[in-house]
């Protein structure tokens, strides 16, 4: 099993990338990756590259990026338009829709629907979607 890491489009063009914060804790504490372990890095826009752990210390790790990999994205770009569900279900829906290949979730307001998510909720949805991309191997 190869670990997946979502990085920025600017970082994926580089030869090396530094891993810190939550990504560091996930890769090097939870998954216990070590030097020479493979990682698949993606940019959230369809590009994927092979990478290898070159350095790990107490607060950050470094990856050397290698060859391009297949993106594993579906041929169709699907946008899901849905009435805003209860908060407790909205995060689950964003996670599962992302894992299934949806590229965007749009909340539509109806007379009997829950109120639309606010800014803080949108940030949470982005975190959920990022984690889902890494979990399922999408690019």
């Amino acid at each position: 099993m190869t670990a997946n890491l979502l990085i920025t489009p600017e970082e994926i063009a580089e030869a090396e990338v530094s891993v810190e914060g939550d990504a560091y804790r996930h890769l090097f504490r939870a998954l216990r990756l070590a030097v020479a372990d493979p990682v698949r890095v993606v940019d959230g826009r369809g590009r994927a590259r092979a990478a290898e752990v070159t350095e790990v210390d107490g607060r950050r790790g470094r990856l050397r990026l290698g060859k391009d990999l297949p993106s594993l994205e579906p041929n169709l770009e699907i946008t899901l338009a849905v009435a805003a569900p209860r908060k407790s279900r909205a995060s689950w829906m964003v996670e599962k829709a992302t894992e299934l290949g949806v590229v965007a979730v749009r909340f539509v307001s109806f007379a009997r629907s829950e109120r639309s998510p606010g800014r803080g909720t949108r940030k949470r949805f982005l975190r959920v979607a990022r984690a889902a991309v890494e979990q399922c191997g999408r690019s």
Side-chain angles (χ1 to χ4, degrees), residues 14-68:
E14 300 293 326
E16 287 192 340
V17 65
S18 180
V19 180
E20 299 174 353
D22 290 339
Y24 169 84
R25 284 186 288 283
H26 177 69
L27 291 178
F28 303 112
R29 295 294 180 242
L31 296 181
R32 299 175 192 250
L33 294 184
V35 172
D37 283 343
V39 178
R40 182 175 183 269
V41 296
V42 297
D43 69 352
R45 293 188 178 164
R47 188 167 179 205
R49 289 181 70 183
E52 180 180 278
V53 178
T54 58
E55 177 186 337
V56 180
D57 64 28
R59 293 188 179 186
R60 75 178 177 105
R62 295 211 44 90
L63 304 176
R64 180 181 316 120
L65 277 60
K67 65 179 180 174
D68 285 342

Side-chain angles (χ1 to χ4, degrees), residues 72-74 91-103 105 128-138:
L72 305 180
E73 286 296 303
S91 290
W92 178 86
M93 185 196 59
V94 168
E95 175 186 1
K96 298 307 171 193
T98 302
E99 290 172 354
L100 288 171
V102 170
V103 296
V105 177
V128 167
R130 287 179 62 94
V133 164
E134 291 177 348
Q135 178 67 29
C136 71
R138 286 188 57 192

Side-chain angles (χ1 to χ4, degrees), residues 76-92:
L76 296 174
E77 287 192 5
I78 299 169
T79 297
L80 177 63
V82 62
R86 284 177 266 130
K87 277 188 179 181
S88 61
R89 303 296 289 167
S91 290
W92 178 86

